[in-house]
PDB file of all heavy atoms in Angstrom:
ATOM      1  N   ASP A1261       0.795  -1.193  -0.017  1.00 95.00           N
ATOM      2  CA  ASP A1261       0.023  -0.028  -0.083  1.00 95.00           C
ATOM      3  C   ASP A1261       0.920   1.227   0.040  1.00 95.00           C
ATOM      4  O   ASP A1261       1.392   1.608   1.069  1.00 95.00           O
ATOM      5  CB  ASP A1261      -0.973  -0.016   1.192  1.00 95.00           C
ATOM      6  CG  ASP A1261      -1.804   1.123   1.255  1.00 95.00           C
ATOM      7  OD1 ASP A1261      -1.782   2.049   0.367  1.00 95.00           O
ATOM      8  OD2 ASP A1261      -2.764   1.209   2.124  1.00 95.00           O
ATOM      9  N   LEU A1262       1.025   1.764  -1.196  1.00 94.00           N
ATOM     10  CA  LEU A1262       1.888   3.004  -1.283  1.00 94.00           C
ATOM     11  C   LEU A1262       1.236   4.416  -1.062  1.00 94.00           C
ATOM     12  O   LEU A1262       1.715   5.424  -1.324  1.00 94.00           O
ATOM     13  CB  LEU A1262       2.442   2.980  -2.738  1.00 94.00           C
ATOM     14  CG  LEU A1262       3.429   1.871  -2.945  1.00 94.00           C
ATOM     15  CD1 LEU A1262       3.879   1.888  -4.502  1.00 94.00           C
ATOM     16  CD2 LEU A1262       4.792   2.035  -2.154  1.00 94.00           C
ATOM     17  N   GLY A1263      -0.084   4.241  -0.577  1.00 90.00           N
ATOM     18  CA  GLY A1263      -0.859   5.471  -0.451  1.00 90.00           C
ATOM     19  C   GLY A1263      -1.132   6.117  -1.829  1.00 90.00           C
ATOM     20  O   GLY A1263      -1.386   5.512  -2.883  1.00 90.00           O
ATOM     21  N   ALA A1264      -1.231   7.512  -1.948  1.00 88.00           N
ATOM     22  CA  ALA A1264      -1.507   8.202  -3.056  1.00 88.00           C
ATOM     23  C   ALA A1264      -0.322   8.077  -4.104  1.00 88.00           C
ATOM     24  O   ALA A1264      -0.508   7.918  -5.310  1.00 88.00           O
ATOM     25  CB  ALA A1264      -1.685   9.679  -2.815  1.00 88.00           C
ATOM     26  N   ARG A1265       0.971   8.002  -3.531  1.00 87.00           N
ATOM     27  CA  ARG A1265       2.024   7.791  -4.354  1.00 87.00           C
ATOM     28  C   ARG A1265       3.229   7.404  -3.479  1.00 87.00           C
ATOM     29  O   ARG A1265       3.315   7.748  -2.333  1.00 87.00           O
ATOM     30  CB  ARG A1265       2.475   8.953  -5.311  1.00 87.00           C
ATOM     31  CG  ARG A1265       2.656  10.185  -4.619  1.00 87.00           C
ATOM     32  CD  ARG A1265       3.521  11.070  -5.524  1.00 87.00           C
ATOM     33  NE  ARG A1265       4.835  10.634  -5.619  1.00 87.00           N
ATOM     34  CZ  ARG A1265       5.810  11.174  -6.426  1.00 87.00           C
ATOM     35  NH1 ARG A1265       5.485  12.134  -7.236  1.00 87.00           N
ATOM     36  NH2 ARG A1265       7.067  10.635  -6.571  1.00 87.00           N
ATOM     37  N   ALA A1266       4.142   6.760  -4.019  1.00 85.00           N
ATOM     38  CA  ALA A1266       5.495   6.688  -3.331  1.00 85.00           C
ATOM     39  C   ALA A1266       6.152   7.876  -3.227  1.00 85.00           C
ATOM     40  O   ALA A1266       6.196   8.721  -4.143  1.00 85.00           O
ATOM     41  CB  ALA A1266       6.551   5.604  -4.073  1.00 85.00           C
ATOM     42  N   PHE A1267       6.705   8.198  -1.974  1.00 84.00           N
ATOM     43  CA  PHE A1267       7.222   9.515  -1.664  1.00 84.00           C
ATOM     44  C   PHE A1267       8.637   9.626  -1.551  1.00 84.00           C
ATOM     45  O   PHE A1267       9.305  10.709  -1.288  1.00 84.00           O
ATOM     46  CB  PHE A1267       6.468  10.220  -0.381  1.00 84.00           C
ATOM     47  CG  PHE A1267       6.625   9.388   0.830  1.00 84.00           C
ATOM     48  CD1 PHE A1267       7.773   9.560   1.547  1.00 84.00           C
ATOM     49  CD2 PHE A1267       5.708   8.484   1.278  1.00 84.00           C
ATOM     50  CE1 PHE A1267       7.943   8.750   2.743  1.00 84.00           C
ATOM     51  CE2 PHE A1267       5.863   7.881   2.444  1.00 84.00           C
ATOM     52  CZ  PHE A1267       6.954   7.914   3.182  1.00 84.00           C
ATOM     53  N   SER A1268       9.415   8.525  -1.637  1.00 87.00           N
ATOM     54  CA  SER A1268      10.789   8.574  -1.472  1.00 87.00           C
ATOM     55  C   SER A1268      11.506   7.561  -2.508  1.00 87.00           C
ATOM     56  O   SER A1268      10.936   6.529  -2.762  1.00 87.00           O
ATOM     57  CB  SER A1268      11.344   8.226  -0.006  1.00 87.00           C
ATOM     58  OG  SER A1268      11.013   6.912   0.334  1.00 87.00           O
ATOM     59  N   PRO A1269      12.601   7.790  -2.969  1.00 88.00           N
ATOM     60  CA  PRO A1269      13.288   6.882  -3.991  1.00 88.00           C
ATOM     61  C   PRO A1269      13.464   5.478  -3.358  1.00 88.00           C
ATOM     62  O   PRO A1269      13.952   5.499  -2.240  1.00 88.00           O
ATOM     63  CB  PRO A1269      14.625   7.667  -4.232  1.00 88.00           C
ATOM     64  CG  PRO A1269      14.324   9.123  -3.935  1.00 88.00           C
ATOM     65  CD  PRO A1269      13.448   9.123  -2.753  1.00 88.00           C
ATOM     66  N   GLY A1270      13.287   4.471  -4.091  1.00 89.00           N
ATOM     67  CA  GLY A1270      13.589   3.229  -3.613  1.00 89.00           C
ATOM     68  C   GLY A1270      12.453   2.685  -2.718  1.00 89.00           C
ATOM     69  O   GLY A1270      12.569   1.479  -2.383  1.00 89.00           O
ATOM     70  N   GLN A1271      11.497   3.380  -2.432  1.00 92.00           N
ATOM     71  CA  GLN A1271      10.476   2.863  -1.491  1.00 92.00           C
ATOM     72  C   GLN A1271       9.662   1.675  -2.098  1.00 92.00           C
ATOM     73  O   GLN A1271       9.480   0.656  -1.397  1.00 92.00           O
ATOM     74  CB  GLN A1271       9.448   3.932  -1.103  1.00 92.00           C
ATOM     75  CG  GLN A1271       8.517   3.651  -0.048  1.00 92.00           C
ATOM     76  CD  GLN A1271       7.624   4.916   0.316  1.00 92.00           C
ATOM     77  OE1 GLN A1271       7.118   5.620  -0.510  1.00 92.00           O
ATOM     78  NE2 GLN A1271       7.449   5.199   1.629  1.00 92.00           N
ATOM     79  N   THR A1272       9.227   1.797  -3.305  1.00 95.00           N
ATOM     80  CA  THR A1272       8.630   0.728  -4.010  1.00 95.00           C
ATOM     81  C   THR A1272       9.442  -0.525  -4.146  1.00 95.00           C
ATOM     82  O   THR A1272       9.008  -1.708  -4.019  1.00 95.00           O
ATOM     83  CB  THR A1272       8.148   1.208  -5.449  1.00 95.00           C
ATOM     84  OG1 THR A1272       7.320   2.366  -5.207  1.00 95.00           O
ATOM     85  CG2 THR A1272       7.322   0.079  -6.149  1.00 95.00           C
ATOM     86  N   TYR A1273      10.757  -0.287  -4.429  1.00 93.00           N
ATOM     87  CA  TYR A1273      11.741  -1.417  -4.483  1.00 93.00           C
ATOM     88  C   TYR A1273      11.704  -2.185  -3.231  1.00 93.00           C
ATOM     89  O   TYR A1273      11.770  -3.409  -3.139  1.00 93.00           O
ATOM     90  CB  TYR A1273      13.070  -0.980  -4.970  1.00 93.00           C
ATOM     91  CG  TYR A1273      14.101  -2.058  -4.912  1.00 93.00           C
ATOM     92  CD1 TYR A1273      14.056  -3.125  -5.744  1.00 93.00           C
ATOM     93  CD2 TYR A1273      15.236  -1.958  -4.036  1.00 93.00           C
ATOM     94  CE1 TYR A1273      15.060  -4.139  -5.686  1.00 93.00           C
ATOM     95  CE2 TYR A1273      16.162  -2.980  -3.943  1.00 93.00           C
ATOM     96  CZ  TYR A1273      16.059  -3.941  -4.816  1.00 93.00           C
ATOM     97  OH  TYR A1273      17.106  -5.014  -4.729  1.00 93.00           O
ATOM     98  N   VAL A1274      11.925  -1.444  -2.070  1.00 92.00           N
ATOM     99  CA  VAL A1274      11.991  -2.052  -0.764  1.00 92.00           C
ATOM    100  C   VAL A1274      10.789  -2.946  -0.500  1.00 92.00           C
ATOM    101  O   VAL A1274      10.867  -4.171  -0.076  1.00 92.00           O
ATOM    102  CB  VAL A1274      12.169  -0.936   0.331  1.00 92.00           C
ATOM    103  CG1 VAL A1274      11.914  -1.643   1.702  1.00 92.00           C
ATOM    104  CG2 VAL A1274      13.408  -0.289   0.197  1.00 92.00           C
ATOM    105  N   ALA A1275       9.596  -2.375  -0.825  1.00 94.00           N
ATOM    106  CA  ALA A1275       8.340  -3.060  -0.465  1.00 94.00           C
ATOM    107  C   ALA A1275       8.165  -4.353  -1.389  1.00 94.00           C
ATOM    108  O   ALA A1275       7.932  -5.414  -0.727  1.00 94.00           O
ATOM    109  CB  ALA A1275       7.112  -2.139  -0.869  1.00 94.00           C
ATOM    110  N   LEU A1276       8.380  -4.192  -2.773  1.00 95.00           N
ATOM    111  CA  LEU A1276       8.207  -5.392  -3.472  1.00 95.00           C
ATOM    112  C   LEU A1276       9.284  -6.484  -3.202  1.00 95.00           C
ATOM    113  O   LEU A1276       9.015  -7.723  -3.368  1.00 95.00           O
ATOM    114  CB  LEU A1276       8.373  -4.919  -4.981  1.00 95.00           C
ATOM    115  CG  LEU A1276       7.301  -4.058  -5.483  1.00 95.00           C
ATOM    116  CD1 LEU A1276       7.618  -3.664  -6.987  1.00 95.00           C
ATOM    117  CD2 LEU A1276       5.920  -4.548  -5.398  1.00 95.00           C
ATOM    118  N   SER A1277      10.533  -6.114  -2.858  1.00 93.00           N
ATOM    119  CA  SER A1277      11.648  -7.011  -2.729  1.00 93.00           C
ATOM    120  C   SER A1277      11.547  -7.765  -1.353  1.00 93.00           C
ATOM    121  O   SER A1277      12.366  -8.671  -1.133  1.00 93.00           O
ATOM    122  CB  SER A1277      13.000  -6.352  -2.780  1.00 93.00           C
ATOM    123  OG  SER A1277      13.041  -5.380  -1.913  1.00 93.00           O
ATOM    124  N   ARG A1278      10.544  -7.503  -0.525  1.00 91.00           N
ATOM    125  CA  ARG A1278      10.380  -8.150   0.775  1.00 91.00           C
ATOM    126  C   ARG A1278       9.642  -9.515   0.410  1.00 91.00           C
ATOM    127  O   ARG A1278       9.703 -10.419   1.393  1.00 91.00           O
ATOM    128  CB  ARG A1278       9.364  -7.401   1.777  1.00 91.00           C
ATOM    129  CG  ARG A1278       9.929  -6.084   2.161  1.00 91.00           C
ATOM    130  CD  ARG A1278      11.248  -6.098   2.731  1.00 91.00           C
ATOM    131  NE  ARG A1278      12.196  -5.607   1.733  1.00 91.00           N
ATOM    132  CZ  ARG A1278      13.449  -5.753   1.809  1.00 91.00           C
ATOM    133  NH1 ARG A1278      13.955  -6.590   2.795  1.00 91.00           N
ATOM    134  NH2 ARG A1278      14.303  -5.346   0.843  1.00 91.00           N
ATOM    135  N   ILE A1279       9.078  -9.609  -0.675  1.00 94.00           N
ATOM    136  CA  ILE A1279       8.158 -10.928  -0.931  1.00 94.00           C
ATOM    137  C   ILE A1279       8.937 -11.823  -1.641  1.00 94.00           C
ATOM    138  O   ILE A1279       9.750 -11.617  -2.624  1.00 94.00           O
ATOM    139  CB  ILE A1279       6.934 -10.300  -1.751  1.00 94.00           C
ATOM    140  CG1 ILE A1279       6.219  -9.257  -1.064  1.00 94.00           C
ATOM    141  CG2 ILE A1279       6.026 -11.393  -2.058  1.00 94.00           C
ATOM    142  CD1 ILE A1279       5.244  -8.406  -1.890  1.00 94.00           C
ATOM    143  N   ARG A1280       8.733 -13.092  -1.342  1.00 92.00           N
ATOM    144  CA  ARG A1280       9.514 -14.301  -1.837  1.00 92.00           C
ATOM    145  C   ARG A1280       9.272 -14.527  -3.246  1.00 92.00           C
ATOM    146  O   ARG A1280      10.254 -14.746  -4.155  1.00 92.00           O
ATOM    147  CB  ARG A1280       9.156 -15.586  -1.020  1.00 92.00           C
ATOM    148  CG  ARG A1280       9.861 -15.554   0.289  1.00 92.00           C
ATOM    149  CD  ARG A1280       9.630 -16.979   0.880  1.00 92.00           C
ATOM    150  NE  ARG A1280       9.955 -17.001   2.331  1.00 92.00           N
ATOM    151  CZ  ARG A1280      11.118 -17.298   2.798  1.00 92.00           C
ATOM    152  NH1 ARG A1280      12.093 -17.417   1.942  1.00 92.00           N
ATOM    153  NH2 ARG A1280      11.367 -17.293   4.043  1.00 92.00           N
ATOM    154  N   ALA A1281       7.935 -14.455  -3.697  1.00 93.00           N
ATOM    155  CA  ALA A1281       7.588 -14.895  -5.077  1.00 93.00           C
ATOM    156  C   ALA A1281       6.601 -13.939  -5.597  1.00 93.00           C
ATOM    157  O   ALA A1281       5.804 -13.270  -4.906  1.00 93.00           O
ATOM    158  CB  ALA A1281       7.150 -16.297  -5.029  1.00 93.00           C
ATOM    159  N   LEU A1282       6.518 -13.924  -6.844  1.00 95.00           N
ATOM    160  CA  LEU A1282       5.517 -12.973  -7.538  1.00 95.00           C
ATOM    161  C   LEU A1282       4.069 -13.221  -7.111  1.00 95.00           C
ATOM    162  O   LEU A1282       3.316 -12.361  -7.026  1.00 95.00           O
ATOM    163  CB  LEU A1282       5.704 -13.117  -9.101  1.00 95.00           C
ATOM    164  CG  LEU A1282       4.989 -12.035  -9.979  1.00 95.00           C
ATOM    165  CD1 LEU A1282       5.361 -10.608  -9.537  1.00 95.00           C
ATOM    166  CD2 LEU A1282       5.298 -12.323 -11.420  1.00 95.00           C
ATOM    167  N   ASP A1283       3.681 -14.560  -6.962  1.00 94.00           N
ATOM    168  CA  ASP A1283       2.273 -14.853  -6.698  1.00 94.00           C
ATOM    169  C   ASP A1283       1.949 -14.531  -5.149  1.00 94.00           C
ATOM    170  O   ASP A1283       0.784 -14.717  -4.860  1.00 94.00           O
ATOM    171  CB  ASP A1283       1.970 -16.314  -6.977  1.00 94.00           C
ATOM    172  CG  ASP A1283       2.803 -17.238  -6.128  1.00 94.00           C
ATOM    173  OD1 ASP A1283       3.451 -16.911  -5.244  1.00 94.00           O
ATOM    174  OD2 ASP A1283       2.636 -18.534  -6.341  1.00 94.00           O
ATOM    175  N   GLY A1284       2.956 -14.055  -4.550  1.00 94.00           N
ATOM    176  CA  GLY A1284       2.697 -13.577  -3.050  1.00 94.00           C
ATOM    177  C   GLY A1284       2.531 -12.010  -3.037  1.00 94.00           C
ATOM    178  O   GLY A1284       2.192 -11.461  -1.884  1.00 94.00           O
ATOM    179  N   LEU A1285       2.448 -11.408  -4.115  1.00 96.00           N
ATOM    180  CA  LEU A1285       2.203  -9.853  -4.260  1.00 96.00           C
ATOM    181  C   LEU A1285       0.726  -9.631  -4.466  1.00 96.00           C
ATOM    182  O   LEU A1285       0.064 -10.135  -5.279  1.00 96.00           O
ATOM    183  CB  LEU A1285       3.096  -9.362  -5.348  1.00 96.00           C
ATOM    184  CG  LEU A1285       2.684  -7.877  -5.722  1.00 96.00           C
ATOM    185  CD1 LEU A1285       3.190  -6.917  -4.605  1.00 96.00           C
ATOM    186  CD2 LEU A1285       3.494  -7.474  -7.169  1.00 96.00           C
ATOM    187  N   HIS A1286       0.322  -8.660  -3.555  1.00 97.00           N
ATOM    188  CA  HIS A1286      -1.031  -8.122  -3.732  1.00 97.00           C
ATOM    189  C   HIS A1286      -0.869  -6.553  -3.646  1.00 97.00           C
ATOM    190  O   HIS A1286      -0.132  -5.956  -2.707  1.00 97.00           O
ATOM    191  CB  HIS A1286      -2.062  -8.584  -2.650  1.00 97.00           C
ATOM    192  CG  HIS A1286      -2.089 -10.051  -2.632  1.00 97.00           C
ATOM    193  ND1 HIS A1286      -2.902 -10.765  -3.384  1.00 97.00           N
ATOM    194  CD2 HIS A1286      -1.406 -11.016  -1.819  1.00 97.00           C
ATOM    195  CE1 HIS A1286      -2.812 -12.060  -3.194  1.00 97.00           C
ATOM    196  NE2 HIS A1286      -1.866 -12.257  -2.226  1.00 97.00           N
ATOM    197  N   LEU A1287      -1.556  -5.851  -4.476  1.00 96.00           N
ATOM    198  CA  LEU A1287      -1.466  -4.336  -4.525  1.00 96.00           C
ATOM    199  C   LEU A1287      -2.765  -3.735  -4.060  1.00 96.00           C
ATOM    200  O   LEU A1287      -3.852  -4.209  -4.429  1.00 96.00           O
ATOM    201  CB  LEU A1287      -1.054  -3.861  -5.836  1.00 96.00           C
ATOM    202  CG  LEU A1287       0.286  -4.282  -6.390  1.00 96.00           C
ATOM    203  CD1 LEU A1287       0.460  -3.974  -7.905  1.00 96.00           C
ATOM    204  CD2 LEU A1287       1.477  -3.649  -5.613  1.00 96.00           C
ATOM    205  N   SER A1288      -2.639  -2.748  -3.224  1.00 94.00           N
ATOM    206  CA  SER A1288      -3.944  -1.955  -2.816  1.00 94.00           C
ATOM    207  C   SER A1288      -4.418  -1.100  -3.960  1.00 94.00           C
ATOM    208  O   SER A1288      -5.669  -0.795  -3.986  1.00 94.00           O
ATOM    209  CB  SER A1288      -3.582  -1.052  -1.596  1.00 94.00           C
ATOM    210  OG  SER A1288      -2.671  -0.028  -1.997  1.00 94.00           O
ATOM    211  N   ARG A1289      -3.529  -0.793  -4.810  1.00 95.00           N
ATOM    212  CA  ARG A1289      -3.920  -0.014  -6.129  1.00 95.00           C
ATOM    213  C   ARG A1289      -2.746  -0.371  -7.187  1.00 95.00           C
ATOM    214  O   ARG A1289      -1.755  -0.752  -6.903  1.00 95.00           O
ATOM    215  CB  ARG A1289      -4.068   1.489  -5.851  1.00 95.00           C
ATOM    216  CG  ARG A1289      -2.771   2.082  -5.564  1.00 95.00           C
ATOM    217  CD  ARG A1289      -2.627   3.518  -5.693  1.00 95.00           C
ATOM    218  NE  ARG A1289      -1.379   4.145  -5.216  1.00 95.00           N
ATOM    219  CZ  ARG A1289      -0.325   4.242  -5.875  1.00 95.00           C
ATOM    220  NH1 ARG A1289      -0.228   3.638  -7.039  1.00 95.00           N
ATOM    221  NH2 ARG A1289       0.735   4.795  -5.363  1.00 95.00           N
ATOM    222  N   PRO A1290      -3.286  -0.174  -8.457  1.00 96.00           N
ATOM    223  CA  PRO A1290      -2.192  -0.413  -9.474  1.00 96.00           C
ATOM    224  C   PRO A1290      -1.054   0.519  -9.370  1.00 96.00           C
ATOM    225  O   PRO A1290      -1.211   1.621  -8.881  1.00 96.00           O
ATOM    226  CB  PRO A1290      -2.893  -0.129 -10.800  1.00 96.00           C
ATOM    227  CG  PRO A1290      -4.361  -0.322 -10.375  1.00 96.00           C
ATOM    228  CD  PRO A1290      -4.432   0.183  -9.087  1.00 96.00           C
ATOM    229  N   LEU A1291       0.177   0.021  -9.643  1.00 95.00           N
ATOM    230  CA  LEU A1291       1.393   0.802  -9.651  1.00 95.00           C
ATOM    231  C   LEU A1291       1.397   1.852 -10.750  1.00 95.00           C
ATOM    232  O   LEU A1291       0.905   1.474 -11.970  1.00 95.00           O
ATOM    233  CB  LEU A1291       2.619  -0.022  -9.845  1.00 95.00           C
ATOM    234  CG  LEU A1291       2.955  -1.038  -8.612  1.00 95.00           C
ATOM    235  CD1 LEU A1291       4.149  -1.903  -9.012  1.00 95.00           C
ATOM    236  CD2 LEU A1291       3.237  -0.215  -7.366  1.00 95.00           C
ATOM    237  N   GLN A1292       1.784   3.021 -10.602  1.00 94.00           N
ATOM    238  CA  GLN A1292       1.819   4.129 -11.507  1.00 94.00           C
ATOM    239  C   GLN A1292       3.261   4.392 -11.902  1.00 94.00           C
ATOM    240  O   GLN A1292       4.231   4.059 -11.048  1.00 94.00           O
ATOM    241  CB  GLN A1292       1.210   5.336 -10.968  1.00 94.00           C
ATOM    242  CG  GLN A1292      -0.230   5.152 -10.641  1.00 94.00           C
ATOM    243  CD  GLN A1292      -1.135   4.891 -11.702  1.00 94.00           C
ATOM    244  OE1 GLN A1292      -0.962   5.248 -12.741  1.00 94.00           O
ATOM    245  NE2 GLN A1292      -2.191   4.017 -11.439  1.00 94.00           N
ATOM    246  N   PRO A1293       3.608   5.040 -13.068  1.00 92.00           N
ATOM    247  CA  PRO A1293       5.076   5.311 -13.384  1.00 92.00           C
ATOM    248  C   PRO A1293       5.764   6.085 -12.343  1.00 92.00           C
ATOM    249  O   PRO A1293       6.940   5.952 -12.056  1.00 92.00           O
ATOM    250  CB  PRO A1293       4.850   6.016 -14.670  1.00 92.00           C
ATOM    251  CG  PRO A1293       3.622   5.607 -15.312  1.00 92.00           C
ATOM    252  CD  PRO A1293       2.690   5.305 -14.152  1.00 92.00           C
ATOM    253  N   ASN A1294       5.037   7.113 -11.625  1.00 93.00           N
ATOM    254  CA  ASN A1294       5.738   7.935 -10.632  1.00 93.00           C
ATOM    255  C   ASN A1294       5.800   7.276  -9.388  1.00 93.00           C
ATOM    256  O   ASN A1294       6.410   7.733  -8.332  1.00 93.00           O
ATOM    257  CB  ASN A1294       4.976   9.296 -10.454  1.00 93.00           C
ATOM    258  CG  ASN A1294       3.589   9.004  -9.945  1.00 93.00           C
ATOM    259  OD1 ASN A1294       3.124   7.942  -9.656  1.00 93.00           O
ATOM    260  ND2 ASN A1294       2.849  10.121  -9.794  1.00 93.00           N
ATOM    261  N   ASP A1295       5.496   5.894  -9.194  1.00 94.00           N
ATOM    262  CA  ASP A1295       5.782   5.157  -7.961  1.00 94.00           C
ATOM    263  C   ASP A1295       7.277   4.668  -7.967  1.00 94.00           C
ATOM    264  O   ASP A1295       7.746   4.173  -6.915  1.00 94.00           O
ATOM    265  CB  ASP A1295       4.861   4.025  -7.733  1.00 94.00           C
ATOM    266  CG  ASP A1295       3.442   4.419  -7.462  1.00 94.00           C
ATOM    267  OD1 ASP A1295       3.219   5.348  -6.738  1.00 94.00           O
ATOM    268  OD2 ASP A1295       2.484   3.821  -7.921  1.00 94.00           O
ATOM    269  N   ILE A1296       7.800   4.551  -9.130  1.00 93.00           N
ATOM    270  CA  ILE A1296       9.168   3.969  -9.306  1.00 93.00           C
ATOM    271  C   ILE A1296      10.146   4.955  -9.805  1.00 93.00           C
ATOM    272  O   ILE A1296      10.185   5.300 -10.957  1.00 93.00           O
ATOM    273  CB  ILE A1296       9.073   2.760 -10.352  1.00 93.00           C
ATOM    274  CG1 ILE A1296       7.998   1.726  -9.804  1.00 93.00           C
ATOM    275  CG2 ILE A1296      10.460   2.108 -10.515  1.00 93.00           C
ATOM    276  CD1 ILE A1296       7.760   0.573 -10.793  1.00 93.00           C
ATOM    277  N   PHE A1297      10.934   5.507  -8.894  1.00 91.00           N
ATOM    278  CA  PHE A1297      12.012   6.391  -9.221  1.00 91.00           C
ATOM    279  C   PHE A1297      13.272   6.211  -8.375  1.00 91.00           C
ATOM    280  O   PHE A1297      13.134   5.700  -7.231  1.00 91.00           O
ATOM    281  CB  PHE A1297      11.503   7.828  -9.150  1.00 91.00           C
ATOM    282  CG  PHE A1297      11.007   8.171  -7.784  1.00 91.00           C
ATOM    283  CD1 PHE A1297      11.753   9.109  -6.971  1.00 91.00           C
ATOM    284  CD2 PHE A1297       9.679   7.782  -7.235  1.00 91.00           C
ATOM    285  CE1 PHE A1297      11.285   9.459  -5.728  1.00 91.00           C
ATOM    286  CE2 PHE A1297       9.296   8.205  -6.040  1.00 91.00           C
ATOM    287  CZ  PHE A1297      10.115   9.115  -5.240  1.00 91.00           C
ATOM    288  N   VAL A1298      14.311   6.573  -8.877  1.00 92.00           N
ATOM    289  CA  VAL A1298      15.634   6.384  -8.277  1.00 92.00           C
ATOM    290  C   VAL A1298      16.398   7.841  -8.143  1.00 92.00           C
ATOM    291  O   VAL A1298      16.309   8.635  -9.022  1.00 92.00           O
ATOM    292  CB  VAL A1298      16.511   5.517  -9.090  1.00 92.00           C
ATOM    293  CG1 VAL A1298      17.825   5.149  -8.357  1.00 92.00           C
ATOM    294  CG2 VAL A1298      15.688   4.212  -9.301  1.00 92.00           C
TER     295      VAL A1298
END
C-alpha cells in the first residue's frame, strides 16, 4: 500500500523485494510510473 504515491526513492523497490515470489504480491492499487523512481 503506497498510498497516493511513493514519496521517496527506492520505497517501491523495498516493498516489492520483501516478498519471496511474484504470486505472493497483492497491491492496494495499481502501480503508477511515478511510484518507481531512483
Side-chain angles (χ1 to χ4, degrees):
D1261 183 352
L1262 295 168
R1265 60 156 292 174
F1267 60 83
S1268 64
Q1271 190 175 47
T1272 302
Y1273 173 65
V1274 171
L1276 297 178
S1277 61
R1278 301 307 98 196
I1279 304 167
R1280 290 187 189 275
L1282 190 55
D1283 65 5
L1285 170 66
H1286 304 273
L1287 296 170
S1288 64
R1289 62 161 176 81
L1291 295 175
Q1292 304 295 326
N1294 60 4
D1295 290 321
I1296 300 171
F1297 60 105
V1298 183

